[in-house]
């Protein structure tokens, strides 16, 4: 009987002596009304008083309206993403708990986050606020609580998870996030999402789709805690300056079933999956860069380098290069009968200054394109991956190569490698060029500039029709030096840009062609 009474006293004592004595007798404390194990009718009144009071920040948090079946591990999981959890006290009969964080800053971050995103335990909304108490005294008698806390500490400090800590982590949330992209001014690819979210943990699977005219994705982490950390850090952030806003929620799914590895879906744990009907096959090398520590990936949402700041201010990509990253891209699934270094230079040159282009000698449907820097490479990849060029859907990824090597002197590589470093056709060589403000995704509408005064609408319609497309609409600007021309498809517009950018219109006047955000 002694053992039983000790346990009973221990349980009762848990709500009494775990609380710091210095704060326990505070007249403002509502905890005295819930800690004596009895209900005398004054509990609800005193709780309502505490609701109305603005308690000062404390590393002890008061959690209310927990479901009856809530476990300690589920309560601890609420605090896991914000820092170390150092103690917990659950008041089962009151559906309440006290959670002690390692620092006051961690507690403040947690309260601020849950002020905007309602926390749930077992799909029941719960309420979190600062406690009047500054610390919880450790109850050595509660072995289960201590075991859970030790397990969580081991995981947070890099130790191996025990069964208890795995239970705590699993309670944090689903490992699957549902992502909606608002204000999608630039296209967002599956690869861009992988790069951004892999900052927070191992991304296992991604499925992208369009629903209600919005681009959406389901993304599965290996660990629910990583999903919660990613949601906390990225929800509401813009991928690119002032656009492509991430809206992130937890999915009800706990596992994604990916059947194909292609532009729409990817299982990084199963590189052998087929591409599916009508999709280009995955390059086996594609899966190798996707580990968290790879230097070939661009850092997500990190501060911009000084070199990229001016470009970003002009509306360019807001992802800076990962240390050690470079500007070399691998383009694959090219039409090897049609593609040339010049055509790749022209197309990729819309998004940066292509320095060198090499079509691979033993794999002529693939090419390396060296851009001026990693930001330009990222921009080109995000816009051109998945577009159609010469009738084939091209795949654009970051290459492991640091540079594109030129052929040795005297070696004929059949014109497969070209050095464009000194080309006069670079669009972005001039600092502050207006071209920085006019970078748009491939579209059916093209912007024409440098049009000679004696060239008519009919001349331009004929020129673009002869390039293999159907002109749907045309519009001159007031000065007749610029115009918009709309083709029947994006693929036709891409073809016309490749063929007609820098076209000599006579009297040494060369036509300038770029993608437009406008429609006619």
């Amino acid at each position: 009987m002694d053992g039983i009474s000790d346990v009973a006293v221990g349980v009762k004592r848990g709500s009494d002596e775990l609380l710091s004595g210095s704060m326990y007798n505070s007249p403002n404390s509502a905890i005295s009304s819930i800690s004596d194990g009895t209900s005398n009718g004054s509990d609800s009144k005193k709780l309502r008083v505490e609701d109305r009071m603005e308690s000062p920040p404390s590393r002890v948090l008061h959690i209310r309206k927990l479901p009856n079946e809530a476990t300690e591990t589920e309560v601890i999981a609420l605090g896991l993403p914000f820092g170390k959890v150092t103690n917990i006290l659950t008041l089962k009969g009151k559906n309440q708990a006290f959670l002690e964080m390692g620092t006051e800053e961690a507690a403040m971050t947690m309260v601020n986050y849950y002020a905007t995103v309602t926390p749930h335990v077992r799909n029941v909304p719960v309420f979190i606020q600062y406690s009047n108490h500054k610390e919880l005294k450790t109850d050595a008698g509660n072995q289960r609580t201590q075991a859970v806390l030790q397990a969580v500490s081991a995981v947070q400090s890099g130790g191996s998870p025990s069964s208890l800590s795995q239970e705590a982590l699993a309670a944090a949330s689903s490992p699957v996030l549902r992502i909606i992209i608002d204000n999608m001014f630039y296209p967002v690819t599956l690869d861009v999402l992988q790069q951004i979210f892999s900052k927070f943990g191992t991304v296992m699977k991604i499925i992208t789709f369009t629903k209600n005219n919005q681009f959406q994705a389901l993304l599965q982490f290996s660990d629910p805690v990583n999903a919660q950390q990613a949601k906390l850090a990225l929800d509401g952030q813009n991928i690119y300056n002032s656009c492509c806003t991430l809206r992130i929620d937890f999915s009800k799914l706990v596992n994604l079933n990916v059947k194909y590895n292609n532009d729409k879906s990817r299982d990084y744990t199963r590189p052998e999956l087929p591409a599916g009907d009508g999709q280009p096959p995955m390059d086996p090398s594609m899966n190798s860069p996707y580990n968290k520590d790879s230097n070939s990936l661009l850092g997500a949402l990190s501060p911009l380098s000084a070199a990229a700041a001016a470009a970003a201010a002009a509306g360019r990509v807001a992802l800076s290069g990962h240390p050690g990253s470079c500007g070399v891209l691998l383009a694959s699934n090219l039409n090897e009968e049609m593609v040339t270094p010049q055509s790749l230079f022209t197309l990729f040159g819309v998004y940066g200054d292509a320095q060198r282009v090499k079509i691979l000698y033993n794999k002529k449907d693939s090419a390396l394109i060296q851009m001026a820097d990693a930001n330009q490479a990222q921009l080109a990849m995000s816009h051109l991956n998945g577009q159609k060029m010469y009738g084939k859907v091209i795949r654009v990824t970051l290459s492991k190569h640091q540079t594109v090597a030129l052929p040795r002197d005297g070696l004929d590589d059949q014109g497969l490698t070209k050095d464009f470093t000194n080309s006069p056709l670079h669009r972005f060589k001039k600092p502050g060029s207006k071209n920085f403000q006019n970078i748009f995704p491939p579209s059916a509408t093209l912007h024409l500039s440098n049009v000679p005064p004696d060239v008519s609408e009919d001349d331009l319609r004929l020129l673009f029709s002869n390039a293999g497309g159907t002109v749907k609409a045309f519009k001159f600007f007031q000065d007749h030096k610029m115009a918009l021309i709309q083709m029947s498809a994006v693929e036709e517009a891409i073809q016309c840009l490749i063929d007609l950018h820098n076209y000599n219109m006579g009297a040494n006047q060369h036509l300038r062609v770029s993608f437009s955000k406008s429609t006619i």
Side-chain angles (χ1 to χ4, degrees), residues 298-485:
L298 299 181
L301 301 174
S302 54
L304 289 167
S305 63
R316 290 181 64 207
V317 64
L319 300 176
S320 71
H322 189 285
S325 65
C326 66
V328 179
L329 296 168
L330 172 66
S332 55
N333 201 47
L334 302 170
N335 184 332
E336 57 186 275
E337 302 296 326
M338 303 285 290
V339 73
T340 63
Q342 181 67 46
S343 62
L344 291 169
F345 166 75
T346 303
L347 181 57
F348 281 75
V350 173
Y351 301 105
D353 293 335
Q355 306 292 301
R356 294 175 178 177
V357 180
K358 178 192 284 287
I359 295 174
L360 303 186
Y361 186 81
N362 293 322
K363 199 174 189 307
K364 292 188 172 63
D365 69 344
S366 299
L368 295 173
I369 301 102
Q370 182 177 332
M371 307 299 286
D373 59 44
N375 288 285
Q376 292 185 4
Q378 168 70 36
L379 199 63
M381 180 178 75
S382 65
H383 285 82
L384 295 176
N385 183 46
Q387 297 291 343
K388 266 193 172 182
M389 179 184 183
Y390 296 126
K392 299 193 75 173
V393 176
I394 66 171
R395 184 176 299 282
V396 184
T397 62
L398 294 165
S399 169
K400 295 177 183 177
H401 293 277
Q402 297 295 308
T403 60
V404 171
L406 296 174
R408 293 191 297 274
D409 287 343
L411 184 67
D412 179 17
D413 77 339
Q414 303 171 8
L416 296 177
T417 307
K418 291 284 185 186
D419 187 354
F420 296 99
T421 306
N422 298 315
S423 171
L425 299 180
H426 289 309
R427 295 178 188 246
F428 306 104
K429 259 190 173 173
K430 284 184 183 177
S433 165
K434 283 186 179 178
N435 291 333
F436 283 122
Q437 300 169 37
N438 294 304
I439 298 175
F440 303 112
S443 63
T445 306
L446 296 168
H447 180 274
L448 314 180
S449 60
N450 206 34
V451 178
D454 58 343
V455 171
S456 68
E457 176 180 333
D458 288 342
D459 294 332
L460 289 168
R461 280 178 173 269
L462 181 61
L463 180 66
F464 278 76
S465 296
N466 288 340
T470 302
V471 177
K472 300 274 285 186
F474 183 92
K475 175 186 172 186
F476 259 129
F477 287 80
Q478 281 187 338
D479 58 4
H480 271 234
K481 290 180 182 177
M482 294 189 290
L484 294 176
I485 190 164

Side-chain angles (χ1 to χ4, degrees), residues 40-350:
N40 59 12
S42 64
D43 301 34
S44 58
K45 290 180 185 177
K46 292 194 178 183
L47 277 175
R48 281 197 292 272
V49 169
E50 187 175 39
D51 283 345
R52 291 195 297 269
M53 286 166 37
E54 286 286 335
S55 296
S58 164
R59 65 192 185 100
V60 179
L61 300 173
H62 184 196
I63 303 169
R64 297 183 294 114
K65 299 202 175 178
L66 288 163
N68 290 328
E69 63 276 18
T71 65
E72 288 169 328
T73 52
E74 288 171 313
V75 176
I76 290 171
L78 290 171
L80 273 180
F82 305 95
K84 189 171 183 179
V85 178
T86 51
N87 215 337
I88 182 173
L89 164 65
T90 54
L91 305 172
K92 290 285 187 184
K94 303 290 182 180
N95 301 97
Q96 299 179 33
F98 294 90
L99 195 68
E100 180 185 274
M101 303 299 291
T103 64
E104 195 171 284
E105 285 113 355
M108 289 172 68
T109 304
M110 181 173 167
V111 169
N112 290 340
Y113 175 67
Y114 287 134
T116 58
V117 179
T118 303
H120 287 74
V121 173
R122 301 199 175 210
N123 295 320
V124 175
V126 299
F127 297 86
I128 298 177
Q129 63 195 73
Y130 297 117
S131 168
N132 289 321
H133 300 271
K134 295 299 182 188
E135 64 176 317
L136 298 177
K137 284 187 178 178
T138 302
D139 182 2
N142 192 337
Q143 293 180 348
R144 174 176 171 78
T145 298
Q146 294 309 307
V148 172
L149 287 167
Q150 285 169 11
V152 171
S153 294
V155 172
Q156 288 180 324
S157 59
S160 58
S162 66
S163 60
L164 278 171
S165 64
Q166 285 173 332
E167 184 186 344
L169 295 178
S173 59
S174 165
V176 179
L177 295 176
R178 183 176 65 109
I179 302 157
I180 297 175
I181 310 290
D182 280 345
N183 191 20
M184 197 162 126
F185 190 66
Y186 293 113
V188 175
T189 65
L190 181 147
D191 294 325
V192 168
L193 290 175
Q194 196 279 339
Q195 290 169 54
I196 293 170
F197 282 82
S198 64
K199 179 181 178 185
F200 299 91
T202 302
V203 175
M204 309 286 282
K205 304 170 186 178
I206 306 178
I207 298 172
T208 64
F209 54 96
T210 300
K211 185 177 180 182
N212 301 328
N213 291 322
Q214 278 189 309
F215 178 86
Q216 300 190 25
L218 294 170
L219 183 146
Q220 181 177 339
F221 278 101
S222 60
D223 193 316
V225 173
N226 299 143
Q228 197 149 8
Q229 290 168 334
K231 181 181 186 302
L232 175 64
L234 296 177
D235 189 27
Q237 295 276 358
N238 295 329
I239 299 177
Y240 302 115
N241 282 44
S242 305
C243 66
C244 299
T245 307
L246 292 164
R247 304 292 178 206
I248 305 172
D249 285 306
F250 291 110
S251 170
K252 292 178 182 176
L253 301 171
V254 293
N255 185 48
L256 297 180
N257 182 22
V258 176
K259 295 180 180 178
Y260 304 112
N261 280 341
N262 53 40
D263 287 330
K264 305 296 183 190
S265 62
R266 192 81 51 82
D267 186 338
Y268 296 100
T269 67
R270 300 180 64 200
E272 75 283 359
L273 286 177
D277 294 339
Q279 291 282 347
M282 280 284 295
D283 186 334
S285 66
M286 277 292 297
N287 284 300
S288 57
Y290 291 113
N291 61 71
K292 216 169 93 178
D293 300 314
S294 171
N295 280 339
S296 68
L297 292 181
L298 299 181
L301 301 174
S302 54
L304 289 167
S305 63
R316 290 181 64 207
V317 64
L319 300 176
S320 71
H322 189 285
S325 65
C326 66
V328 179
L329 296 168
L330 172 66
S332 55
N333 201 47
L334 302 170
N335 184 332
E336 57 186 275
E337 302 296 326
M338 303 285 290
V339 73
T340 63
Q342 181 67 46
S343 62
L344 291 169
F345 166 75
T346 303
L347 181 57
F348 281 75
V350 173

